[in-house]
Amino acid sequence: MNITIDGKNLEVQAGQTILQAARANGIYIPSLCYHPRTGKAGRCRACLVEVEGMRGMQTACTVAVREGMIVNTATEAVLAARRMVVELLLADGSHDCLSCEANGACELQEMAFRLGIEKPSFIVADADQTRDESSEGIVRDPKKCIQCGRCVASCNRNVMHEVLDFGWRNAGVKVICDDDKPMGDSTCVQCGECVQICPVGALYFKPSKGKARQWEVQYKQVICPYCGVGCVIDMAVKDGKYMWAKGTEDRWEKRPNQGMLCVKGRFGLEFLGKPDRLTTPLIKRNGALEPASWDEALDLVAKRLGEIKAANGAGAIGCLSSAKVTNEENFAMQRFARRVIGTNNVDHCARLCHASTVAGLATTLGSGAMTNTMQEAAKSKVILITGSNTTWCHPVFGGMIKKAVRQNGVKLIVIDPRETDLAKIADIHLRQKSGSDVAWLMGMQRIIIENGWHKESYITERCEGWDDYRKSLDFYTPEKVQELSGIAPEDLKAAAKLYATNAPGAIYFSMGITQHSHGVDNVKACANLSLITGNLGVEGGGVNPLRGQMNVQGACDMGALPNVFSGYQPVIDESNRKKFAAAWGCAPESMDDKIGLTVTTMVEACGKQIKALYIMGENPMVSDPNLNHVEQQLRSLEFLVVQDIFLTETAQMADVVLPAVAFAEKTGTYTNTERRCQLGRTALPAPAGARQDYEIIADIAARLGCADFPRTPEALFAEMRSLTPSYRGMTFERLEKECGLRWPCPAEDHPGTPILHIGKFTRGKALLSALPYRPPAEEPDCEYPFRLTTGRLLQHFHTGTMSRRADVLDRLVPRGQVEINPADAARLGIADGEKVLVSTRRGAVETTAQVLDRVGEGVLFMAFHFAEAAANRLTIDALDPVAKIPEFKVCAARLEKTACCKG
Amino acid sequence: MDADLRSRIEKTAGLYPRAESALMPALYAAQAANGGWLSQEVLAEIAKMFRVSLSRVRGLASFYTMFNLEPVGRFHLQVDTNIPAMLAGAEETLEHLKRRLGIEVGQTTPDGLFTLSEVEDLAACGTCPVVQVNDRYYEEMTPARVDELLSSLRRGVMPEMPVTANWGTKCDMLLHRRGKPNGTALAGYVADGGYAALEKALSKSPSEVTAEVKASNLRGRGGAGFPTGLKWGFLPQQSERPVYLICNADEGEPGTFKDRQILEFDPHLLIEGMIISAYAVGAKLGFIYIRGEFAEMAEILERAIAEARAAGKLGQNILGRGVSFDIVVHRGAGSYVCGEETALIESLEGKRGNPRLKPPFPASEGLYGCPTVVNNVETLATVPYIIQHGSEAFRKIGSPNNFGPKLFGVSGHVRRPGVYEFPLGAPLADVLAEAGGVEGEMKAVIVGGLSTPILTAAEAEGLALDYDACQKRGTMLGSGGVIVMNRTASIPRIALRAITFYAHESCGQCTPCREGSRVMRELLKRIVAGKGTVNDVDQVVSLCGTIRGATLCPGGDAYAIPIAAMISKFRGEFEAMVSGGGAKTAPVLAARA
């Protein structure tokens, strides 16, 4: 439609406000409280304009455009009102721009400049308010606050942490944290959204204070290196150094994170500039790692790998790829293993997390990935979350689920042994015994079918395996389920009813389902539940594994797996081997035709079949189960090469260490948990001496006789997509233009695929799985009476290589603890904060007790981020027979005070 | 919070469609059970119970004056020092209390017995000075009566202290049962012909009832004078969402104390009016949002509601006609802005009393986002007459386009301050005469509550008190709160007290009101203290001009217009107060014409 602003005729869209229409057309109307991500507020009154036919003045941010509307933004009355708003905000005399962090990007300063206001016309002093510097990452300066309400709106309606609100009244109104506590004493998780959205300098980042002026930085778009949400970050870079981070607001509605970040994306990128970045290759001589030249190091690697291959065969070498490097680099690593070494012994850390998913969903649905998208949370009528502490491990997405519950009336069921944040707001929270998931999942299905809540026609048309499946449910009576899981029959029925009688329903799961010795069964049980309720192939439904690492989905997609090439094309299939051999310029017979070893079986085979490991961006010395054993195993290798950005615990054991660059220092693509491939471009230079992972691999390949190994991301991507139907339609240009693409994307005009299995499954009909009950490998007994479960924290990531080197994260959580229930603590006479020894049959770790009822009685929880108190010294390496994933989530442990001794 | 308190809160929450609406009642209950104040621990428990954030609960509790976030003495003495009280000697009462107790405002006596506070208008303008002790009003508080009160309180007894409370009626409609024994009881009401209008209404269709009210041209008595039937007509014809009827009993406009007459002395009149109105608009649930200070009146309402329910006039299947309607009494907690309908609705939803942006209007998106009608007490109390006697009869009362009876609260410098019922359009002179006439010579008068422009005595000559006549005279009838000032009144001091009130009550959302009211107050403080300049006076006028029309809610106009009027009409008094009378500098902000 057409409207007129200041005499200019403009074409605008229906539904826009005057302010939005003006901005879209480059017309200046100031506003301090409206923000596209928090919506209209009408509080600041800076956007007042005159509209012909409407009495008085109107706020441009609240009035929708109408055909033929005539707007005047610069009449005398409007300008007087605008001046008044600025004068009144400046009137308390406390807005000093000189050293303000917001100088140059301050919306109040901008307004004053436009109005020609050089200093306040009248000063009427207000009560003094001190700065709040109590939190690790954020400083609040209430004297600069203009009470616009954006931070409150964002905290309560977008990131959903619900920490901030307005307190008090009249001119005494101020933003408060929790019960008006200092931010550092509140429940604030330091996501930093309030700082990002503040129009003035009332909130700023502590770590970067004084380091750069707003106009000295360039913003470069990168993909967050932490979790599988794949937040798009605008990294502020000055003189090639990282300054601070914002969630990108460039086309924010289309991004997985909608402009938001978590504390790790916000404050966790500092590791990039830490002085202990690896900058020179290291070679172990006489038991110590010594600096060497690149040529020396690469020559040695090629020599040793060549020797070991010649002596023992290609199968003696294993390659560990990385969920932290690009798709191109993952493709390069599996190409290296297969083309250059001639082995399928290539794997990566997905083995430790979602191997069950990939196997389980590939079998039942035909495709092992998240079936729906993160954006659909609000479209579900019911969400069931199990085995995922979403607000800690996929924080921005956890917030979206919370938002869907709070704002869209979505019902929430959480089945978790611990009272997670989402459990607190769930309609139903049930605490099950770790390891009993098949029982309660199948038990729910039995109840659903018994009550006729299942979708018969969907099952008939789209599923197979009903008879065996139905029979297998007989075992899971409510009483049996209670015996195995601890869940009471009435509770199980309530959960079953809530899930089955609300459509569409989505299931989200993560490690609590996958990291078991029967993890594949767990995944299949989830698929069963979704299938019988007709929730696959529909918007708002799905079976949705939340992938942990920012590129673990990509690493799998790229074929850094022992059984498939890229795109999950099986290696045992001769036509696949032929295709790849042709592309790689080698004879098909030279390609390994057997499924290779996994991360976990490679570790087992160290010193036996496996003589050498080439590890890129992985830290098994902290991430694998039963670390004492892992250490032993790695020591039995003849040759270990580690390529990484810091000297990790694993690198310390290597014969050769190769310094690589980090995510922000490379260009390439990454695929997040919802199959969305996004492009990240180099944002700043790597430390001198470090090299691109793909270059290092190509150099080693060249030394091993493969001179035509692709050497650039573009070349690798081009080759990959020519061989991988699901990525074929993607190009770097498309990825940038369309904010990423979800596979399958088979052609360059294909828009990508948000929802899988619409109409038919990848395997045709889905398979309903008959599942027997198999208990965890090791359950509590008299000697080890606790059920130990492990997992992650919000503030740290995995082995802590990056997150523990970020000062804010390190200060927020400097060391590990063990969660213990108050009743158990009381029985053992253990106080909160006391030093304790946790031991299992595999090892012992000294740590500190954290007494709280987040864990139930008889349960202990430890995060695995802390190498010096590594939870994985305790965990058991019992593996799922198909997926080979370890049972990180259950083993038997005991806990005692450290002062008290054995014997 | 013990189990009994928890279960009481849970029970209250069950009365509301959304549990969060019970946050304010929960705070009251918790406060009462915990020595009269709310500690951090109690607030945290409430947050947990209602599953809302800590900051939401603290934000809620700190918005409203009547929630004590610090300990208070056993007897909380709250002295109304707003303008009607000021004119009746409240400052003297306050000083007297300070001397007797030996403490300043905001302090507690060392023995923990008394806390002294200054509060805003308690709607006791005709019986000032007034001191609220905990939940009870003590009116006509001369120093002697103060001493009587204190000595009783020192013995731990809240005494009975009867008041004179002048009143009169020329219409015998809204004040019909005033002065009758047992006037608030159902039996008395029915014997007097009460609930007959309800019978009649239920024998018509809802649209017929609405048509009758439309035809009567009843204008809203809350202050805006907007035709009630027209307002009801804004509700959607068909609605899947429930319709709510809310009675605005927040009566906070200084100078206004008319609604309390009905609440206190004729609750069934209001209840009947609500039931009929609810029937007309299709509401199954209604609320009476009553200001927190009216605790005693809330109890009277609750008793009357219980009586009405027991007699089948309220609740399920009213009078056996298959119509259902029930009423929840919801107490405010000390916030003038909650008299604004959208702020009231926010408050009813368990939130801070922040006015909302309009559009959307309550008729389409009100309480819980559902179609809602908010009507004043007096408006609803007028409905039974219209239904019983018909719109024709109603239109015989009052003046053209301004029909029906009106309660006028007269306060300030008159001999018999009180509430007087006259037909709309009655001459101001007659109303003042009924109130015993002016004490001394009239200097100025405010006819519609503090938020209407002041009139000089000359301007008030021959004024008829109806909506249209007042508007023609450059002011507004508003709530009909008549505040009379004689020659002893200092207009600058009144202006300062006025802006102090508005600045205190500002919700704080929008820049012009939040900062503007603060700045204006400080400037007027300087002026009244003799430390101001002529520039300061001009600055105040300038701010009035730009604040007007720029705020989120009409609250800004509510003081910007009256204070500008006070200064322009009594400029000399302001200029006399400034020091040195220095050179007049141009104001920074352009004043609006």
Short mmCIF file of all heavy atoms in Angstrom, two decimals, chain A residues 42-45 84 121-122 124-125 146-147 162-163 166-170 176 178-179 424 426, chain B residues 40 51 53 55 58-59 62-63 334 352 503-506 510-512 514 518 522 550-552 588:
data_model
loop_
_atom_site.label_atom_id
_atom_site.label_comp_id
_atom_site.label_asym_id
_atom_site.label_seq_id
_atom_site.Cartn_x
_atom_site.Cartn_y
_atom_site.Cartn_z
N GLY A 42 6.20 1.42 23.27
CA GLY A 42 5.50 2.69 23.42
C GLY A 42 5.86 3.44 24.67
O GLY A 42 5.11 4.30 25.13
N ARG A 43 7.02 3.14 25.26
CA ARG A 43 7.39 3.72 26.56
C ARG A 43 8.23 4.96 26.45
O ARG A 43 8.09 5.88 27.25
CB ARG A 43 8.19 2.70 27.37
CG ARG A 43 7.56 1.35 27.47
CD ARG A 43 8.59 0.33 27.94
NE ARG A 43 9.18 0.72 29.18
CZ ARG A 43 8.71 0.37 30.37
NH1 ARG A 43 7.66 -0.40 30.45
NH2 ARG A 43 9.31 0.78 31.46
N CYS A 44 9.17 4.98 25.52
CA CYS A 44 10.14 6.08 25.52
C CYS A 44 9.52 7.36 24.99
O CYS A 44 9.92 8.45 25.37
CB CYS A 44 11.38 5.71 24.72
SG CYS A 44 11.10 5.56 22.96
N ARG A 45 8.55 7.24 24.13
CA ARG A 45 7.83 8.36 23.50
C ARG A 45 8.74 9.17 22.58
O ARG A 45 8.44 10.31 22.24
CB ARG A 45 7.21 9.30 24.55
CG ARG A 45 6.53 8.62 25.71
CD ARG A 45 5.50 7.57 25.32
NE ARG A 45 4.27 8.15 24.84
CZ ARG A 45 3.24 7.44 24.39
NH1 ARG A 45 3.31 6.13 24.36
NH2 ARG A 45 2.14 8.04 23.97
N MET A 84 12.03 17.15 24.29
CA MET A 84 11.66 16.98 25.69
C MET A 84 12.09 15.61 26.18
O MET A 84 12.60 15.46 27.29
CB MET A 84 10.16 17.14 25.88
CG MET A 84 9.74 16.71 27.28
SD MET A 84 8.01 16.45 27.50
CE MET A 84 7.66 15.19 26.34
N SER A 121 19.76 21.01 29.22
CA SER A 121 19.32 22.38 29.49
C SER A 121 19.01 22.60 30.94
O SER A 121 19.08 23.71 31.44
CB SER A 121 18.06 22.70 28.68
OG SER A 121 18.33 22.55 27.32
N PHE A 122 18.60 21.58 31.59
CA PHE A 122 18.36 21.72 33.03
C PHE A 122 18.80 20.42 33.71
O PHE A 122 18.59 19.34 33.19
CB PHE A 122 16.90 22.04 33.35
CG PHE A 122 15.90 21.16 32.65
CD1 PHE A 122 15.53 19.94 33.18
CD2 PHE A 122 15.33 21.56 31.45
CE1 PHE A 122 14.60 19.13 32.54
CE2 PHE A 122 14.41 20.76 30.80
CZ PHE A 122 14.03 19.55 31.34
N VAL A 124 18.35 18.35 37.08
CA VAL A 124 17.65 18.18 38.35
C VAL A 124 18.13 16.84 38.87
O VAL A 124 17.66 15.79 38.44
CB VAL A 124 16.12 18.19 38.12
CG1 VAL A 124 15.40 17.99 39.44
CG2 VAL A 124 15.71 19.51 37.48
N ALA A 125 19.09 16.91 39.77
CA ALA A 125 19.79 15.69 40.19
C ALA A 125 18.84 14.68 40.82
O ALA A 125 17.86 15.03 41.47
CB ALA A 125 20.90 16.05 41.17
N ILE A 146 17.75 4.18 30.86
CA ILE A 146 16.65 5.06 30.47
C ILE A 146 15.31 4.33 30.59
O ILE A 146 14.30 4.78 30.06
CB ILE A 146 16.83 5.61 29.04
CG1 ILE A 146 16.95 4.46 28.03
CG2 ILE A 146 18.05 6.52 28.98
CD1 ILE A 146 16.92 4.93 26.58
N GLN A 147 15.31 3.20 31.29
CA GLN A 147 14.10 2.43 31.57
C GLN A 147 13.31 2.11 30.29
O GLN A 147 12.09 2.16 30.28
CB GLN A 147 13.18 3.17 32.55
CG GLN A 147 13.64 3.16 33.98
CD GLN A 147 14.60 4.29 34.32
OE1 GLN A 147 14.56 5.32 33.66
NE2 GLN A 147 15.45 4.08 35.30
N GLU A 162 14.23 -15.03 32.77
CA GLU A 162 13.32 -14.47 33.79
C GLU A 162 14.05 -14.01 35.04
O GLU A 162 13.64 -14.30 36.16
CB GLU A 162 12.24 -15.52 34.12
CG GLU A 162 11.42 -15.86 32.89
CD GLU A 162 10.43 -16.99 33.13
OE1 GLU A 162 10.57 -17.71 34.12
OE2 GLU A 162 9.52 -17.15 32.29
N VAL A 163 15.15 -13.30 34.83
CA VAL A 163 15.90 -12.76 35.95
C VAL A 163 15.55 -11.30 36.18
O VAL A 163 15.40 -10.85 37.31
CB VAL A 163 17.42 -12.86 35.68
CG1 VAL A 163 18.22 -12.22 36.79
CG2 VAL A 163 17.82 -14.31 35.51
N PHE A 166 11.14 -4.95 36.23
CA PHE A 166 11.15 -3.61 36.80
C PHE A 166 10.71 -3.71 38.25
O PHE A 166 9.80 -4.46 38.60
CB PHE A 166 10.17 -2.70 36.05
CG PHE A 166 10.74 -2.14 34.79
CD1 PHE A 166 10.24 -2.50 33.54
CD2 PHE A 166 11.80 -1.24 34.84
CE1 PHE A 166 10.78 -1.98 32.38
CE2 PHE A 166 12.33 -0.70 33.67
CZ PHE A 166 11.83 -1.08 32.44
N GLY A 167 11.36 -2.92 39.09
CA GLY A 167 10.94 -2.85 40.49
C GLY A 167 10.66 -1.40 40.83
O GLY A 167 11.08 -0.49 40.13
N TRP A 168 9.88 -1.22 41.92
CA TRP A 168 9.55 0.11 42.44
C TRP A 168 8.70 0.86 41.43
O TRP A 168 8.15 0.29 40.50
CB TRP A 168 10.84 0.85 42.84
CG TRP A 168 11.73 -0.06 43.61
CD1 TRP A 168 12.85 -0.70 43.17
CD2 TRP A 168 11.52 -0.55 44.94
NE1 TRP A 168 13.35 -1.53 44.14
CE2 TRP A 168 12.55 -1.47 45.24
CE3 TRP A 168 10.55 -0.29 45.93
CZ2 TRP A 168 12.64 -2.13 46.47
CZ3 TRP A 168 10.65 -0.96 47.15
CH2 TRP A 168 11.69 -1.85 47.41
N ARG A 169 8.59 2.15 41.66
CA ARG A 169 7.61 2.89 40.87
C ARG A 169 8.10 4.30 40.62
O ARG A 169 9.11 4.73 41.18
CB ARG A 169 6.28 2.92 41.64
CG ARG A 169 5.07 3.33 40.81
CD ARG A 169 3.78 3.10 41.57
NE ARG A 169 3.53 4.14 42.57
CZ ARG A 169 2.61 4.04 43.53
NH1 ARG A 169 1.91 2.93 43.66
NH2 ARG A 169 2.41 5.02 44.38
N ASN A 170 7.38 5.02 39.80
CA ASN A 170 7.62 6.42 39.43
C ASN A 170 9.07 6.62 39.01
O ASN A 170 9.66 5.73 38.37
CB ASN A 170 7.16 7.38 40.54
CG ASN A 170 7.76 7.11 41.90
OD1 ASN A 170 8.99 7.03 42.04
ND2 ASN A 170 6.93 6.96 42.92
N ILE A 176 15.63 -4.64 38.17
CA ILE A 176 16.17 -5.45 39.27
C ILE A 176 16.46 -6.87 38.79
O ILE A 176 15.87 -7.35 37.83
CB ILE A 176 15.17 -5.52 40.46
CG1 ILE A 176 13.83 -6.11 40.02
CG2 ILE A 176 14.98 -4.14 41.07
CD1 ILE A 176 12.84 -6.30 41.17
N ASP A 178 16.35 -10.71 40.03
CA ASP A 178 15.71 -11.52 41.07
C ASP A 178 15.08 -10.62 42.11
O ASP A 178 14.35 -9.69 41.81
CB ASP A 178 16.75 -12.46 41.71
CG ASP A 178 17.13 -13.61 40.81
OD1 ASP A 178 16.47 -13.79 39.77
OD2 ASP A 178 18.07 -14.36 41.14
N ASP A 179 15.41 -10.88 43.36
CA ASP A 179 14.80 -10.13 44.45
C ASP A 179 15.59 -8.86 44.73
O ASP A 179 15.85 -8.55 45.89
CB ASP A 179 14.76 -11.05 45.68
CG ASP A 179 13.71 -10.62 46.65
OD1 ASP A 179 12.92 -9.72 46.31
OD2 ASP A 179 13.68 -11.17 47.76
N LYS A 424 11.40 -28.04 35.98
CA LYS A 424 10.73 -27.15 36.93
C LYS A 424 9.47 -26.53 36.35
O LYS A 424 8.55 -26.19 37.07
CB LYS A 424 11.68 -26.02 37.35
CG LYS A 424 12.80 -26.46 38.24
CD LYS A 424 13.42 -25.23 38.95
CE LYS A 424 14.57 -25.66 39.83
NZ LYS A 424 15.88 -25.32 39.27
N ALA A 426 7.73 -27.98 33.83
CA ALA A 426 6.99 -28.98 33.07
C ALA A 426 5.63 -29.25 33.67
O ALA A 426 5.43 -29.12 34.88
CB ALA A 426 7.79 -30.28 33.01
N GLN B 40 12.13 -11.28 52.36
CA GLN B 40 12.66 -11.92 51.15
C GLN B 40 12.22 -13.38 51.08
O GLN B 40 11.88 -13.89 50.02
CB GLN B 40 14.18 -11.88 51.17
CG GLN B 40 14.74 -10.60 50.63
CD GLN B 40 16.25 -10.65 50.47
OE1 GLN B 40 16.91 -11.60 50.92
NE2 GLN B 40 16.80 -9.64 49.87
N ARG B 51 4.96 -20.21 40.59
CA ARG B 51 5.84 -20.54 39.46
C ARG B 51 6.11 -19.31 38.58
O ARG B 51 6.00 -19.37 37.36
CB ARG B 51 5.23 -21.65 38.61
CG ARG B 51 5.16 -22.97 39.35
CD ARG B 51 4.41 -23.99 38.54
NE ARG B 51 5.24 -25.15 38.28
CZ ARG B 51 4.93 -26.13 37.47
NH1 ARG B 51 3.82 -26.11 36.79
NH2 ARG B 51 5.73 -27.14 37.30
N SER B 53 8.83 -15.70 38.33
CA SER B 53 10.20 -15.35 38.71
C SER B 53 10.22 -14.51 39.97
O SER B 53 9.25 -13.83 40.31
CB SER B 53 10.87 -14.57 37.57
OG SER B 53 10.25 -13.31 37.41
N SER B 55 11.96 -11.88 40.37
CA SER B 55 11.92 -10.46 40.04
C SER B 55 10.50 -10.01 39.76
O SER B 55 10.14 -8.87 40.05
CB SER B 55 12.82 -10.16 38.84
OG SER B 55 12.52 -11.01 37.76
N ARG B 58 9.03 -9.47 43.30
CA ARG B 58 9.58 -8.26 43.93
C ARG B 58 9.08 -7.03 43.18
O ARG B 58 8.75 -5.99 43.77
CB ARG B 58 11.11 -8.32 43.92
CG ARG B 58 11.83 -7.03 44.30
CD ARG B 58 11.68 -6.57 45.71
NE ARG B 58 12.18 -7.48 46.70
CZ ARG B 58 12.42 -7.16 47.96
NH1 ARG B 58 12.21 -5.93 48.38
NH2 ARG B 58 12.87 -8.05 48.81
N GLY B 59 9.03 -7.14 41.86
CA GLY B 59 8.55 -6.02 41.04
C GLY B 59 7.11 -5.69 41.37
O GLY B 59 6.71 -4.53 41.43
N SER B 62 6.88 -4.24 45.09
CA SER B 62 7.46 -2.91 45.26
C SER B 62 6.71 -1.84 44.50
O SER B 62 6.96 -0.65 44.69
CB SER B 62 8.94 -2.91 44.84
OG SER B 62 9.06 -3.29 43.48
N PHE B 63 5.81 -2.23 43.63
CA PHE B 63 5.03 -1.24 42.87
C PHE B 63 3.96 -0.59 43.74
O PHE B 63 3.64 0.58 43.59
CB PHE B 63 4.39 -1.91 41.65
CG PHE B 63 3.62 -0.96 40.77
CD1 PHE B 63 4.24 -0.27 39.75
CD2 PHE B 63 2.26 -0.75 40.98
CE1 PHE B 63 3.53 0.61 38.93
CE2 PHE B 63 1.54 0.13 40.18
CZ PHE B 63 2.18 0.81 39.15
N GLY B 334 -2.80 0.27 46.72
CA GLY B 334 -2.16 1.58 46.86
C GLY B 334 -1.52 2.05 45.58
O GLY B 334 -0.30 2.16 45.50
N ARG B 352 2.26 -5.43 37.71
CA ARG B 352 2.39 -4.03 38.08
C ARG B 352 1.31 -3.23 37.34
O ARG B 352 0.93 -3.56 36.23
CB ARG B 352 3.78 -3.54 37.67
CG ARG B 352 4.89 -4.21 38.47
CD ARG B 352 6.22 -4.13 37.72
NE ARG B 352 6.66 -2.78 37.50
CZ ARG B 352 7.34 -2.06 38.40
NH1 ARG B 352 7.62 -2.58 39.59
NH2 ARG B 352 7.73 -0.84 38.13
N ALA B 503 3.64 12.71 40.85
CA ALA B 503 4.98 12.12 40.70
C ALA B 503 5.08 10.82 41.49
O ALA B 503 5.72 9.87 41.06
CB ALA B 503 6.04 13.12 41.15
N HIS B 504 4.44 10.79 42.65
CA HIS B 504 4.46 9.58 43.47
C HIS B 504 3.71 8.45 42.79
O HIS B 504 4.08 7.29 42.87
CB HIS B 504 3.83 9.88 44.83
CG HIS B 504 3.83 8.71 45.77
ND1 HIS B 504 2.69 8.00 46.06
CD2 HIS B 504 4.84 8.12 46.47
CE1 HIS B 504 3.00 7.01 46.91
NE2 HIS B 504 4.28 7.07 47.16
N GLU B 505 2.62 8.81 42.14
CA GLU B 505 1.74 7.79 41.56
C GLU B 505 2.13 7.37 40.15
O GLU B 505 1.59 6.41 39.63
CB GLU B 505 0.29 8.30 41.56
CG GLU B 505 -0.26 8.59 42.95
CD GLU B 505 -0.25 7.37 43.85
OE1 GLU B 505 -0.44 6.24 43.34
OE2 GLU B 505 -0.04 7.54 45.07
N SER B 506 3.04 8.12 39.52
CA SER B 506 3.44 7.77 38.16
C SER B 506 3.90 6.32 38.12
O SER B 506 4.66 5.88 38.97
CB SER B 506 4.59 8.68 37.72
OG SER B 506 5.18 8.20 36.53
N CYS B 510 6.68 5.59 31.01
CA CYS B 510 7.06 6.44 29.89
C CYS B 510 7.89 7.65 30.33
O CYS B 510 7.71 8.18 31.42
CB CYS B 510 5.84 6.87 29.07
SG CYS B 510 4.81 8.15 29.79
N THR B 511 8.80 8.05 29.46
CA THR B 511 9.76 9.11 29.79
C THR B 511 9.11 10.41 30.24
O THR B 511 9.49 10.96 31.27
CB THR B 511 10.68 9.38 28.58
OG1 THR B 511 11.14 8.16 28.04
CG2 THR B 511 11.83 10.25 28.98
N PRO B 512 8.14 10.96 29.48
CA PRO B 512 7.64 12.29 29.86
C PRO B 512 7.05 12.31 31.27
O PRO B 512 7.31 13.23 32.03
CB PRO B 512 6.56 12.58 28.82
CG PRO B 512 6.80 11.64 27.71
CD PRO B 512 7.45 10.44 28.29
N ARG B 514 7.38 9.92 33.81
CA ARG B 514 8.32 9.47 34.84
C ARG B 514 9.33 10.56 35.17
O ARG B 514 9.53 10.93 36.32
CB ARG B 514 9.05 8.21 34.37
CG ARG B 514 10.03 7.66 35.38
CD ARG B 514 10.80 6.47 34.83
NE ARG B 514 11.75 6.87 33.80
CZ ARG B 514 11.70 6.48 32.53
NH1 ARG B 514 10.77 5.65 32.11
NH2 ARG B 514 12.59 6.90 31.67
N ARG B 518 8.92 14.17 37.94
CA ARG B 518 10.00 14.34 38.92
C ARG B 518 10.62 15.73 38.79
O ARG B 518 10.79 16.45 39.78
CB ARG B 518 11.07 13.26 38.69
CG ARG B 518 12.27 13.37 39.61
CD ARG B 518 13.36 12.36 39.23
NE ARG B 518 14.17 12.81 38.12
CZ ARG B 518 15.21 13.63 38.22
NH1 ARG B 518 15.57 14.09 39.39
NH2 ARG B 518 15.87 13.99 37.15
N GLU B 522 10.58 18.87 41.49
CA GLU B 522 11.77 19.51 42.05
C GLU B 522 11.78 21.00 41.79
O GLU B 522 12.18 21.80 42.63
CB GLU B 522 13.04 18.85 41.48
CG GLU B 522 13.23 17.40 41.90
CD GLU B 522 13.17 17.22 43.41
OE1 GLU B 522 13.93 17.88 44.14
OE2 GLU B 522 12.33 16.41 43.87
N ALA B 550 1.78 13.64 25.13
CA ALA B 550 2.96 12.85 24.76
C ALA B 550 3.10 11.56 25.57
O ALA B 550 3.98 10.77 25.30
CB ALA B 550 4.22 13.70 24.94
N THR B 551 2.23 11.38 26.56
CA THR B 551 2.42 10.24 27.45
C THR B 551 1.69 8.99 26.96
O THR B 551 0.81 9.06 26.10
CB THR B 551 1.92 10.57 28.87
OG1 THR B 551 0.58 11.06 28.77
CG2 THR B 551 2.81 11.61 29.51
N LEU B 552 2.04 7.88 27.57
CA LEU B 552 1.47 6.60 27.16
C LEU B 552 -0.01 6.52 27.56
O LEU B 552 -0.81 5.94 26.87
CB LEU B 552 2.27 5.46 27.82
CG LEU B 552 2.05 4.03 27.32
CD1 LEU B 552 3.30 3.21 27.59
CD2 LEU B 552 0.87 3.38 28.01
N VAL B 588 13.45 26.53 27.26
CA VAL B 588 14.09 25.71 26.24
C VAL B 588 13.05 25.01 25.36
O VAL B 588 13.22 24.90 24.17
CB VAL B 588 14.98 24.63 26.91
CG1 VAL B 588 15.46 23.62 25.90
CG2 VAL B 588 16.14 25.31 27.58
#
